[in-house]
Amino acid sequence: MIERIIIIDNADPVSFYGVNNCNMHLLRNLFPKLRIAARGSVIKVIGEESETALFEKKVKELEEYVVQHNALPEDVILDIVKGDAPKEIKKDSVIIYGINGKPIQGRTPNQQRLVEAFAHNDLTFALGPAGTGKTYVAIALAVRALKNREARKIILSRPAVEAGEKLGFLPGDMKDKIDPYLQPLYDALEDMIPAVKLREYMDTKVIQIAPLAFMRGRTLNDAIIVLDEAQNTTTHQIKMFLTRLGMNAKMIVTGDVTQIDLPRTTVSGLVQAMRVLDGVPGIARIEFGKKDIVRHPLVQRIVEAYERDDAARKSAAVAASDTGDGGDEA
């Protein structure tokens, strides 16, 4: 009899052990000759050398599956222990698997184009209205790169448009004041990375979420960098951000030029960047439309209603100028 100590250091323990340790109960049934005890990330197994070696090999295969899929169904355990390859979901469009094992994938043609553009370019612009999934897909691509060890860290950023006097009225320290602007980024990460692992990544700064102003002076190497809501950057801010790109790094910039919250006299940095960088090799541009909206069906109708209103207002303004009315747009 020998004792082996197996460390589960990559997989989320909750996903690995299952609800009420159901996965460990199944493993004990599949290896009846072994005495198995699990606590936290440590599994202790006692038995014959050949049997414990096989158990360790299978546990490591199960751990690898959990790291990839964020879930460990009973049928997968049975397949791996029996030596069969687990049945895979068709991977053509799967980016990663969410915390419940659900595949996150390019659900529309433009989302899939974003996935392909990211693979072939170091800087990708994703433009389109709310609800098209551009930010969610961008973060999924960043998480995949981290899991596949194609990058050492993820940097997520957003401009805090009201970073002046209005921000000061919020309670708490600077982090407390800024976090509300960054919450959509946290929400996406929480869908993709188990809570314990996400906390570890945040504590060790493998994943960093910061307002755009915190990017100044940095060179970001070996990283996937995502700038969200880029339509609210100034020309100086977006130039500063784009020039942070370091070696073995990629950037995705997302924005919606119909939702610019800057003062009327301020030019959107995203709009200018689209003009200045047009045709530059190594830069891709994906434009999303109403058909890409993957939120509640009502969102698409809301977007269409505002587009009709904008068109009517512009037509009225043109008609007024043609008649020499000179009146201001309502």
Side-chain angles (χ1 to χ4, degrees):
M1 293 283 185
I2 69 163
E3 176 181 293
R4 287 181 187 268
I5 302 296
I6 306 168
I7 308 296
I8 306 298
D9 52 0
N10 292 318
D12 172 51
V14 175
S15 300
F16 185 87
Y17 292 128
V19 178
N20 295 324
N21 284 327
C22 63
N23 292 342
M24 288 307 301
H25 295 319
L26 177 58
L27 284 172
R28 289 189 180 98
N29 291 333
L30 293 170
F31 290 89
K33 297 179 182 179
L34 299 178
R35 290 167 53 194
I36 304 167
R39 182 183 292 272
S41 61
V42 178
I43 299 176
K44 182 168 71 173
V45 56
I46 299 173
E48 297 295 334
E49 181 172 0
S50 59
E51 190 81 2
T52 58
L54 177 62
F55 178 80
E56 181 175 17
K57 177 177 180 292
K58 296 302 180 181
V59 164
K60 286 301 178 182
E61 290 177 13
L62 292 170
E63 180 185 14
E64 185 178 336
Y65 186 94
V66 173
V67 169
Q68 182 69 28
H69 297 82
N70 286 319
L72 189 56
E74 179 180 313
D75 59 339
V76 170
I77 297 175
L78 293 171
D79 285 342
I80 288 178
V81 171
K82 291 175 183 177
D84 299 330
K87 299 177 183 65
E88 293 282 357
I89 297 171
K90 189 178 179 182
K91 286 189 172 183
D92 290 353
S93 59
V94 175
I95 303 171
I96 57 170
Y97 293 85
I99 57 171
N100 57 359
K102 182 179 178 181
I104 295 172
Q105 56 198 106
R107 295 171 58 185
T108 70
N110 280 326
Q111 287 186 4
Q112 193 57 34
R113 288 189 190 102
L114 175 56
V115 175
E116 293 164 1
F118 176 79
H120 297 104
N121 297 274
D122 289 338
L123 173 58
T124 304
F125 287 91
L127 313 175
T132 52
K134 54 191 185 296
T135 301
Y136 198 79
V137 171
I139 294 177
L141 290 167
V143 172
R144 183 180 69 178
L146 183 65
K147 282 192 170 189
N148 292 346
R149 295 181 171 82
E150 296 165 2
R152 291 169 50 195
K153 57 190 172 185
I154 295 173
I155 314 292
L156 306 177
S157 188
R158 261 188 166 200
V161 176
E162 297 178 341
E165 58 182 6
K166 293 185 181 179
L167 196 62
F169 288 106
L170 294 172
D173 58 17
M174 181 56 71
K175 183 179 184 302
D176 295 327
K177 295 174 187 290
I178 290 169
D179 272 357
Y181 292 94
L182 307 176
Q183 190 59 47
L185 306 180
Y186 288 108
D187 291 343
L189 287 172
E190 287 167 357
D191 277 356
M192 302 173 193
I193 303 174
V196 174
K197 198 67 179 177
L198 179 56
R199 194 176 308 115
E200 176 190 326
Y201 282 150
M202 300 288 287
D203 291 343
T204 57
K205 298 191 182 303
V206 171
I207 295 179
Q208 302 171 34
I209 304 179
L212 182 59
F214 285 33
M215 295 297 105
R216 189 174 299 279
R218 303 181 64 183
T219 300
L220 305 173
N221 299 314
D222 302 305
I224 306 299
I225 311 116
V226 178
L227 175 61
D228 190 33
E229 299 288 345
Q231 76 275 4
N232 290 327
T233 60
T234 65
T235 56
H236 295 296
Q237 284 175 328
I238 200 162
K239 180 182 177 182
M240 176 274 292
F241 177 83
L242 295 176
T243 53
R244 301 307 95 197
L245 187 66
M247 300 302 294
N248 191 36
K250 288 191 173 192
M251 279 184 175
I252 303 179
V253 177
T254 72
D256 177 4
V257 295
T258 68
Q259 291 188 351
I260 297 173
D261 299 319
L262 297 167
R264 287 181 178 273
T265 55
T266 303
V267 175
S268 167
L270 179 61
V271 173
Q272 187 196 47
M274 289 295 92
R275 177 178 57 80
V276 172
L277 301 177
D278 185 39
V280 175
I283 299 177
R285 172 175 174 170
I286 308 298
E287 297 196 24
F288 292 77
K290 296 188 295 294
K291 292 182 179 179
D292 296 299
I293 292 176
V294 291
R295 290 181 183 170
H296 192 288
L298 185 59
V299 174
Q300 181 171 340
R301 296 198 290 271
I302 291 171
V303 171
E304 290 171 346
Y306 272 95
E307 286 182 349
R308 287 194 298 271
D309 181 69
D310 287 343
R313 288 158 63 91
K314 288 176 182 176
S315 296
V318 169
S321 62
D322 287 346
T323 59
D325 188 11
D328 293 333
E329 186 182 341

Short mmCIF file of all heavy atoms in Angstrom, two decimals, residues 108-165:
data_model
loop_
_atom_site.label_atom_id
_atom_site.label_comp_id
_atom_site.label_asym_id
_atom_site.label_seq_id
_atom_site.Cartn_x
_atom_site.Cartn_y
_atom_site.Cartn_z
N THR A 108 -23.61 35.30 -33.94
CA THR A 108 -24.04 35.94 -35.18
C THR A 108 -22.84 35.99 -36.13
O THR A 108 -21.69 35.84 -35.70
CB THR A 108 -24.53 37.38 -34.93
OG1 THR A 108 -23.41 38.21 -34.57
CG2 THR A 108 -25.56 37.42 -33.79
N PRO A 109 -23.08 36.21 -37.42
CA PRO A 109 -21.95 36.28 -38.36
C PRO A 109 -20.91 37.33 -37.98
O PRO A 109 -19.70 37.08 -38.11
CB PRO A 109 -22.64 36.62 -39.69
CG PRO A 109 -24.01 36.04 -39.57
CD PRO A 109 -24.39 36.24 -38.13
N ASN A 110 -21.35 38.49 -37.49
CA ASN A 110 -20.38 39.52 -37.13
C ASN A 110 -19.61 39.18 -35.87
O ASN A 110 -18.44 39.53 -35.73
CB ASN A 110 -21.08 40.88 -36.99
CG ASN A 110 -21.32 41.54 -38.33
OD1 ASN A 110 -20.52 41.39 -39.26
ND2 ASN A 110 -22.43 42.24 -38.46
N GLN A 111 -20.26 38.50 -34.92
CA GLN A 111 -19.52 38.03 -33.74
C GLN A 111 -18.44 37.03 -34.16
O GLN A 111 -17.32 37.07 -33.65
CB GLN A 111 -20.47 37.40 -32.73
CG GLN A 111 -21.34 38.39 -31.99
CD GLN A 111 -22.18 37.75 -30.90
OE1 GLN A 111 -22.07 36.56 -30.63
NE2 GLN A 111 -23.02 38.54 -30.26
N GLN A 112 -18.77 36.17 -35.10
CA GLN A 112 -17.78 35.21 -35.59
C GLN A 112 -16.67 35.93 -36.36
O GLN A 112 -15.50 35.54 -36.28
CB GLN A 112 -18.46 34.16 -36.48
CG GLN A 112 -17.59 32.95 -36.79
CD GLN A 112 -17.10 32.23 -35.55
OE1 GLN A 112 -17.79 32.15 -34.54
NE2 GLN A 112 -15.87 31.74 -35.61
N ARG A 113 -17.03 36.99 -37.08
CA ARG A 113 -15.99 37.78 -37.78
C ARG A 113 -15.03 38.43 -36.78
O ARG A 113 -13.83 38.54 -37.04
CB ARG A 113 -16.64 38.85 -38.66
CG ARG A 113 -17.32 38.29 -39.89
CD ARG A 113 -17.76 39.39 -40.84
NE ARG A 113 -18.60 38.85 -41.90
CZ ARG A 113 -19.92 38.95 -41.94
NH1 ARG A 113 -20.57 39.61 -40.98
NH2 ARG A 113 -20.61 38.42 -42.92
N LEU A 114 -15.57 38.85 -35.63
CA LEU A 114 -14.72 39.43 -34.59
C LEU A 114 -13.72 38.38 -34.08
O LEU A 114 -12.55 38.68 -33.86
CB LEU A 114 -15.58 39.97 -33.44
CG LEU A 114 -14.82 40.50 -32.21
CD1 LEU A 114 -13.82 41.58 -32.60
CD2 LEU A 114 -15.81 41.05 -31.18
N VAL A 115 -14.20 37.15 -33.88
CA VAL A 115 -13.33 36.07 -33.44
C VAL A 115 -12.20 35.86 -34.45
O VAL A 115 -11.02 35.74 -34.09
CB VAL A 115 -14.13 34.76 -33.25
CG1 VAL A 115 -13.20 33.60 -32.92
CG2 VAL A 115 -15.17 34.93 -32.15
N GLU A 116 -12.54 35.84 -35.73
CA GLU A 116 -11.54 35.61 -36.78
C GLU A 116 -10.59 36.79 -36.92
O GLU A 116 -9.38 36.61 -37.11
CB GLU A 116 -12.26 35.34 -38.10
CG GLU A 116 -13.05 34.02 -38.10
CD GLU A 116 -14.04 33.94 -39.24
OE1 GLU A 116 -14.10 34.89 -40.06
OE2 GLU A 116 -14.77 32.92 -39.31
N ALA A 117 -11.13 38.01 -36.79
CA ALA A 117 -10.29 39.21 -36.89
C ALA A 117 -9.27 39.26 -35.77
O ALA A 117 -8.11 39.62 -35.97
CB ALA A 117 -11.16 40.47 -36.88
N PHE A 118 -9.70 38.88 -34.57
CA PHE A 118 -8.80 38.86 -33.42
C PHE A 118 -7.65 37.88 -33.65
O PHE A 118 -6.52 38.14 -33.26
CB PHE A 118 -9.59 38.47 -32.17
CG PHE A 118 -8.74 38.31 -30.93
CD1 PHE A 118 -8.31 39.43 -30.23
CD2 PHE A 118 -8.38 37.05 -30.47
CE1 PHE A 118 -7.53 39.28 -29.09
CE2 PHE A 118 -7.61 36.90 -29.34
CZ PHE A 118 -7.18 38.02 -28.64
N ALA A 119 -7.94 36.76 -34.31
CA ALA A 119 -6.91 35.75 -34.55
C ALA A 119 -5.83 36.25 -35.51
O ALA A 119 -4.67 35.83 -35.41
CB ALA A 119 -7.55 34.47 -35.09
N HIS A 120 -6.20 37.16 -36.39
CA HIS A 120 -5.28 37.55 -37.47
C HIS A 120 -4.76 38.98 -37.36
O HIS A 120 -3.98 39.41 -38.22
CB HIS A 120 -5.96 37.36 -38.82
CG HIS A 120 -6.32 35.94 -39.11
ND1 HIS A 120 -7.60 35.46 -39.02
CD2 HIS A 120 -5.55 34.87 -39.47
CE1 HIS A 120 -7.63 34.16 -39.31
NE2 HIS A 120 -6.40 33.78 -39.58
N ASN A 121 -5.19 39.72 -36.34
CA ASN A 121 -4.77 41.12 -36.21
C ASN A 121 -4.40 41.43 -34.76
O ASN A 121 -4.96 40.85 -33.83
CB ASN A 121 -5.88 42.07 -36.66
CG ASN A 121 -6.23 41.89 -38.13
OD1 ASN A 121 -5.62 42.49 -39.00
ND2 ASN A 121 -7.23 41.06 -38.40
N ASP A 122 -3.49 42.36 -34.58
CA ASP A 122 -3.08 42.75 -33.22
C ASP A 122 -3.96 43.86 -32.66
O ASP A 122 -3.96 44.10 -31.45
CB ASP A 122 -1.62 43.21 -33.21
CG ASP A 122 -0.66 42.04 -33.40
OD1 ASP A 122 -1.08 40.90 -33.13
OD2 ASP A 122 0.48 42.26 -33.85
N LEU A 123 -4.68 44.56 -33.53
CA LEU A 123 -5.62 45.60 -33.07
C LEU A 123 -6.92 45.43 -33.84
O LEU A 123 -6.92 45.43 -35.08
CB LEU A 123 -5.04 47.00 -33.30
CG LEU A 123 -5.97 48.19 -33.03
CD1 LEU A 123 -6.50 48.18 -31.60
CD2 LEU A 123 -5.26 49.51 -33.32
N THR A 124 -8.02 45.27 -33.10
CA THR A 124 -9.32 45.08 -33.72
C THR A 124 -10.32 46.07 -33.14
O THR A 124 -10.42 46.19 -31.91
CB THR A 124 -9.84 43.64 -33.50
OG1 THR A 124 -8.87 42.71 -34.00
CG2 THR A 124 -11.16 43.43 -34.22
N PHE A 125 -11.02 46.78 -34.01
CA PHE A 125 -12.09 47.67 -33.58
C PHE A 125 -13.42 46.95 -33.80
O PHE A 125 -13.67 46.40 -34.88
CB PHE A 125 -12.08 48.97 -34.39
CG PHE A 125 -10.95 49.90 -34.04
CD1 PHE A 125 -9.74 49.84 -34.72
CD2 PHE A 125 -11.09 50.84 -33.02
CE1 PHE A 125 -8.70 50.69 -34.40
CE2 PHE A 125 -10.05 51.69 -32.69
CZ PHE A 125 -8.85 51.62 -33.38
N ALA A 126 -14.27 46.95 -32.77
CA ALA A 126 -15.60 46.36 -32.86
C ALA A 126 -16.62 47.46 -32.58
O ALA A 126 -16.71 47.96 -31.45
CB ALA A 126 -15.75 45.22 -31.86
N LEU A 127 -17.38 47.85 -33.59
CA LEU A 127 -18.28 48.99 -33.49
C LEU A 127 -19.72 48.53 -33.67
O LEU A 127 -20.01 47.68 -34.52
CB LEU A 127 -17.94 50.02 -34.57
CG LEU A 127 -16.47 50.39 -34.73
CD1 LEU A 127 -16.28 51.32 -35.91
CD2 LEU A 127 -15.92 51.01 -33.46
N GLY A 128 -20.62 49.09 -32.88
CA GLY A 128 -22.02 48.74 -33.06
C GLY A 128 -22.87 49.11 -31.88
O GLY A 128 -22.37 49.53 -30.83
N PRO A 129 -24.19 48.98 -32.02
CA PRO A 129 -25.12 49.41 -30.98
C PRO A 129 -25.11 48.49 -29.76
O PRO A 129 -24.52 47.40 -29.77
CB PRO A 129 -26.49 49.37 -31.69
CG PRO A 129 -26.31 48.37 -32.78
CD PRO A 129 -24.89 48.49 -33.23
N ALA A 130 -25.79 48.94 -28.72
CA ALA A 130 -25.88 48.17 -27.48
C ALA A 130 -26.53 46.82 -27.73
O ALA A 130 -27.44 46.69 -28.55
CB ALA A 130 -26.70 48.96 -26.45
N GLY A 131 -26.03 45.80 -27.02
CA GLY A 131 -26.65 44.49 -27.09
C GLY A 131 -26.16 43.58 -28.19
O GLY A 131 -26.66 42.47 -28.35
N THR A 132 -25.16 44.02 -28.96
CA THR A 132 -24.67 43.19 -30.05
C THR A 132 -23.61 42.20 -29.60
O THR A 132 -23.13 41.39 -30.40
CB THR A 132 -24.09 44.07 -31.18
OG1 THR A 132 -23.14 44.99 -30.62
CG2 THR A 132 -25.19 44.85 -31.87
N GLY A 133 -23.22 42.24 -28.33
CA GLY A 133 -22.28 41.26 -27.79
C GLY A 133 -20.83 41.55 -28.07
O GLY A 133 -19.96 40.71 -27.82
N LYS A 134 -20.52 42.74 -28.56
CA LYS A 134 -19.13 43.04 -28.94
C LYS A 134 -18.19 43.00 -27.74
O LYS A 134 -17.09 42.44 -27.81
CB LYS A 134 -19.06 44.39 -29.66
CG LYS A 134 -19.66 45.56 -28.91
CD LYS A 134 -19.76 46.78 -29.80
CE LYS A 134 -20.26 47.99 -29.02
NZ LYS A 134 -21.65 47.79 -28.51
N THR A 135 -18.61 43.59 -26.61
CA THR A 135 -17.76 43.58 -25.42
C THR A 135 -17.67 42.19 -24.82
O THR A 135 -16.59 41.73 -24.41
CB THR A 135 -18.31 44.56 -24.36
OG1 THR A 135 -18.36 45.88 -24.93
CG2 THR A 135 -17.44 44.57 -23.12
N TYR A 136 -18.78 41.48 -24.78
CA TYR A 136 -18.82 40.14 -24.19
C TYR A 136 -17.90 39.19 -24.96
O TYR A 136 -17.12 38.44 -24.36
CB TYR A 136 -20.26 39.62 -24.20
CG TYR A 136 -20.51 38.47 -23.26
CD1 TYR A 136 -20.69 38.68 -21.90
CD2 TYR A 136 -20.59 37.17 -23.74
CE1 TYR A 136 -20.95 37.63 -21.04
CE2 TYR A 136 -20.85 36.11 -22.89
CZ TYR A 136 -21.03 36.35 -21.55
OH TYR A 136 -21.27 35.29 -20.69
N VAL A 137 -17.98 39.24 -26.29
CA VAL A 137 -17.12 38.39 -27.12
C VAL A 137 -15.66 38.80 -26.95
O VAL A 137 -14.78 37.93 -26.88
CB VAL A 137 -17.55 38.47 -28.60
CG1 VAL A 137 -16.54 37.77 -29.50
CG2 VAL A 137 -18.92 37.84 -28.78
N ALA A 138 -15.39 40.10 -26.88
CA ALA A 138 -14.01 40.57 -26.71
C ALA A 138 -13.41 40.03 -25.41
O ALA A 138 -12.27 39.56 -25.38
CB ALA A 138 -13.98 42.10 -26.71
N ILE A 139 -14.18 40.06 -24.32
CA ILE A 139 -13.67 39.56 -23.04
C ILE A 139 -13.52 38.04 -23.09
O ILE A 139 -12.55 37.49 -22.55
CB ILE A 139 -14.59 40.01 -21.89
CG1 ILE A 139 -14.50 41.55 -21.75
CG2 ILE A 139 -14.21 39.33 -20.58
CD1 ILE A 139 -15.42 42.13 -20.70
N ALA A 140 -14.44 37.36 -23.76
CA ALA A 140 -14.31 35.90 -23.91
C ALA A 140 -13.02 35.55 -24.66
O ALA A 140 -12.32 34.58 -24.30
CB ALA A 140 -15.53 35.34 -24.64
N LEU A 141 -12.69 36.30 -25.69
CA LEU A 141 -11.45 36.07 -26.43
C LEU A 141 -10.23 36.29 -25.54
O LEU A 141 -9.24 35.55 -25.62
CB LEU A 141 -11.39 36.98 -27.66
CG LEU A 141 -12.38 36.65 -28.78
CD1 LEU A 141 -12.43 37.79 -29.79
CD2 LEU A 141 -11.99 35.34 -29.47
N ALA A 142 -10.30 37.31 -24.69
CA ALA A 142 -9.19 37.58 -23.77
C ALA A 142 -9.04 36.44 -22.76
O ALA A 142 -7.91 35.99 -22.48
CB ALA A 142 -9.43 38.91 -23.05
N VAL A 143 -10.15 35.96 -22.22
CA VAL A 143 -10.10 34.85 -21.25
C VAL A 143 -9.55 33.59 -21.91
O VAL A 143 -8.75 32.86 -21.32
CB VAL A 143 -11.49 34.62 -20.63
CG1 VAL A 143 -11.50 33.36 -19.77
CG2 VAL A 143 -11.91 35.82 -19.80
N ARG A 144 -9.97 33.33 -23.14
CA ARG A 144 -9.45 32.15 -23.85
C ARG A 144 -7.94 32.24 -24.02
O ARG A 144 -7.22 31.26 -23.82
CB ARG A 144 -10.13 32.01 -25.20
CG ARG A 144 -9.66 30.76 -25.96
CD ARG A 144 -10.33 30.62 -27.31
NE ARG A 144 -9.89 31.63 -28.26
CZ ARG A 144 -10.31 31.70 -29.53
NH1 ARG A 144 -11.21 30.83 -29.97
NH2 ARG A 144 -9.89 32.65 -30.34
N ALA A 145 -7.45 33.41 -24.40
CA ALA A 145 -6.01 33.58 -24.59
C ALA A 145 -5.25 33.35 -23.29
O ALA A 145 -4.17 32.75 -23.28
CB ALA A 145 -5.72 34.98 -25.13
N LEU A 146 -5.84 33.79 -22.18
CA LEU A 146 -5.22 33.57 -20.87
C LEU A 146 -5.20 32.08 -20.53
O LEU A 146 -4.18 31.54 -20.09
CB LEU A 146 -5.97 34.36 -19.79
CG LEU A 146 -5.38 34.30 -18.38
CD1 LEU A 146 -4.02 34.96 -18.34
CD2 LEU A 146 -6.33 34.97 -17.38
N LYS A 147 -6.33 31.41 -20.73
CA LYS A 147 -6.41 29.98 -20.42
C LYS A 147 -5.46 29.17 -21.28
O LYS A 147 -4.88 28.18 -20.83
CB LYS A 147 -7.85 29.48 -20.63
CG LYS A 147 -8.80 29.85 -19.51
CD LYS A 147 -10.10 29.07 -19.65
CE LYS A 147 -10.96 29.24 -18.42
NZ LYS A 147 -12.14 28.34 -18.43
N ASN A 148 -5.30 29.57 -22.53
CA ASN A 148 -4.42 28.84 -23.46
C ASN A 148 -2.97 29.27 -23.34
O ASN A 148 -2.13 28.85 -24.15
CB ASN A 148 -4.90 29.04 -24.90
CG ASN A 148 -6.23 28.37 -25.16
OD1 ASN A 148 -6.70 27.55 -24.38
ND2 ASN A 148 -6.86 28.74 -26.27
N ARG A 149 -2.68 30.12 -22.37
CA ARG A 149 -1.32 30.62 -22.12
C ARG A 149 -0.76 31.36 -23.32
O ARG A 149 0.45 31.37 -23.55
CB ARG A 149 -0.39 29.47 -21.71
CG ARG A 149 -0.76 28.85 -20.37
CD ARG A 149 0.19 27.72 -19.98
NE ARG A 149 -0.06 27.28 -18.62
CZ ARG A 149 -1.01 26.41 -18.25
NH1 ARG A 149 -1.82 25.93 -19.18
NH2 ARG A 149 -1.16 26.04 -17.00
N GLU A 150 -1.65 31.98 -24.10
CA GLU A 150 -1.21 32.83 -25.19
C GLU A 150 -0.91 34.24 -24.70
O GLU A 150 -0.33 35.04 -25.42
CB GLU A 150 -2.29 32.87 -26.27
CG GLU A 150 -2.55 31.51 -26.92
CD GLU A 150 -3.84 31.48 -27.72
OE1 GLU A 150 -4.51 32.53 -27.80
OE2 GLU A 150 -4.18 30.41 -28.26
N ALA A 151 -1.34 34.54 -23.49
CA ALA A 151 -1.07 35.84 -22.86
C ALA A 151 -0.92 35.60 -21.36
O ALA A 151 -1.46 34.64 -20.81
CB ALA A 151 -2.20 36.83 -23.12
N ARG A 152 -0.18 36.49 -20.71
CA ARG A 152 0.06 36.33 -19.27
C ARG A 152 -0.92 37.14 -18.44
O ARG A 152 -1.05 36.91 -17.24
CB ARG A 152 1.50 36.76 -18.94
CG ARG A 152 2.55 35.81 -19.50
CD ARG A 152 3.95 36.40 -19.40
NE ARG A 152 4.22 36.89 -18.06
CZ ARG A 152 5.24 37.71 -17.77
NH1 ARG A 152 6.04 38.13 -18.75
NH2 ARG A 152 5.44 38.10 -16.54
N LYS A 153 -1.61 38.10 -19.06
CA LYS A 153 -2.54 38.92 -18.29
C LYS A 153 -3.60 39.53 -19.21
O LYS A 153 -3.45 39.57 -20.43
CB LYS A 153 -1.80 40.02 -17.52
CG LYS A 153 -0.97 40.94 -18.40
CD LYS A 153 -0.09 41.83 -17.53
CE LYS A 153 0.89 42.63 -18.40
NZ LYS A 153 1.83 43.42 -17.59
N ILE A 154 -4.66 39.97 -18.57
CA ILE A 154 -5.75 40.65 -19.26
C ILE A 154 -5.89 42.05 -18.65
O ILE A 154 -5.93 42.18 -17.42
CB ILE A 154 -7.08 39.89 -19.09
CG1 ILE A 154 -7.01 38.52 -19.77
CG2 ILE A 154 -8.25 40.69 -19.66
CD1 ILE A 154 -8.24 37.66 -19.50
N ILE A 155 -5.96 43.06 -19.50
CA ILE A 155 -6.18 44.43 -19.06
C ILE A 155 -7.51 44.89 -19.66
O ILE A 155 -7.67 44.92 -20.88
CB ILE A 155 -5.05 45.39 -19.53
CG1 ILE A 155 -3.67 44.79 -19.27
CG2 ILE A 155 -5.22 46.75 -18.88
CD1 ILE A 155 -3.29 44.65 -17.83
N LEU A 156 -8.45 45.24 -18.80
CA LEU A 156 -9.75 45.74 -19.25
C LEU A 156 -9.90 47.18 -18.80
O LEU A 156 -9.63 47.51 -17.64
CB LEU A 156 -10.89 44.88 -18.67
CG LEU A 156 -10.80 43.37 -18.92
CD1 LEU A 156 -11.95 42.67 -18.24
CD2 LEU A 156 -10.79 43.07 -20.41
N SER A 157 -10.35 48.03 -19.70
CA SER A 157 -10.42 49.45 -19.35
C SER A 157 -11.66 50.09 -19.97
O SER A 157 -12.20 49.61 -20.98
CB SER A 157 -9.17 50.19 -19.84
OG SER A 157 -9.14 51.51 -19.36
N ARG A 158 -12.08 51.16 -19.32
CA ARG A 158 -13.21 51.98 -19.79
C ARG A 158 -12.92 53.43 -19.42
O ARG A 158 -12.36 53.69 -18.36
CB ARG A 158 -14.50 51.57 -19.09
CG ARG A 158 -15.40 50.64 -19.84
CD ARG A 158 -16.71 50.49 -19.11
NE ARG A 158 -17.73 49.88 -19.95
CZ ARG A 158 -19.02 49.96 -19.72
NH1 ARG A 158 -19.49 50.63 -18.68
NH2 ARG A 158 -19.89 49.37 -20.52
N PRO A 159 -13.35 54.37 -20.25
CA PRO A 159 -13.24 55.78 -19.81
C PRO A 159 -14.32 56.08 -18.77
O PRO A 159 -15.47 55.67 -18.94
CB PRO A 159 -13.46 56.57 -21.10
CG PRO A 159 -14.28 55.66 -21.96
CD PRO A 159 -13.88 54.26 -21.61
N ALA A 160 -13.93 56.73 -17.68
CA ALA A 160 -14.92 57.20 -16.70
C ALA A 160 -15.30 58.61 -17.12
O ALA A 160 -14.64 59.58 -16.78
CB ALA A 160 -14.33 57.19 -15.29
N VAL A 161 -16.36 58.72 -17.90
CA VAL A 161 -16.71 59.99 -18.55
C VAL A 161 -16.92 61.09 -17.52
O VAL A 161 -16.53 62.23 -17.71
CB VAL A 161 -17.97 59.82 -19.42
CG1 VAL A 161 -18.39 61.15 -20.01
CG2 VAL A 161 -17.72 58.82 -20.51
N GLU A 162 -17.56 60.73 -16.40
CA GLU A 162 -17.85 61.73 -15.39
C GLU A 162 -16.79 61.73 -14.30
O GLU A 162 -17.06 61.81 -13.11
CB GLU A 162 -19.22 61.47 -14.77
CG GLU A 162 -20.35 61.58 -15.77
CD GLU A 162 -21.70 61.26 -15.15
OE1 GLU A 162 -21.76 60.63 -14.10
OE2 GLU A 162 -22.72 61.67 -15.74
N ALA A 163 -15.51 61.62 -14.70
CA ALA A 163 -14.43 61.50 -13.73
C ALA A 163 -14.06 62.82 -13.08
O ALA A 163 -13.05 62.94 -12.40
CB ALA A 163 -13.19 60.90 -14.40
N GLY A 164 -14.86 63.83 -13.26
CA GLY A 164 -14.61 65.11 -12.63
C GLY A 164 -15.43 65.28 -11.37
O GLY A 164 -15.47 64.43 -10.50
N GLU A 165 -16.20 66.36 -11.30
CA GLU A 165 -16.90 66.68 -10.06
C GLU A 165 -17.99 65.69 -9.71
O GLU A 165 -18.21 65.41 -8.54
CB GLU A 165 -17.50 68.09 -10.16
CG GLU A 165 -18.48 68.26 -11.34
CD GLU A 165 -19.02 69.67 -11.42
OE1 GLU A 165 -18.55 70.51 -10.64
OE2 GLU A 165 -19.89 69.93 -12.26
#
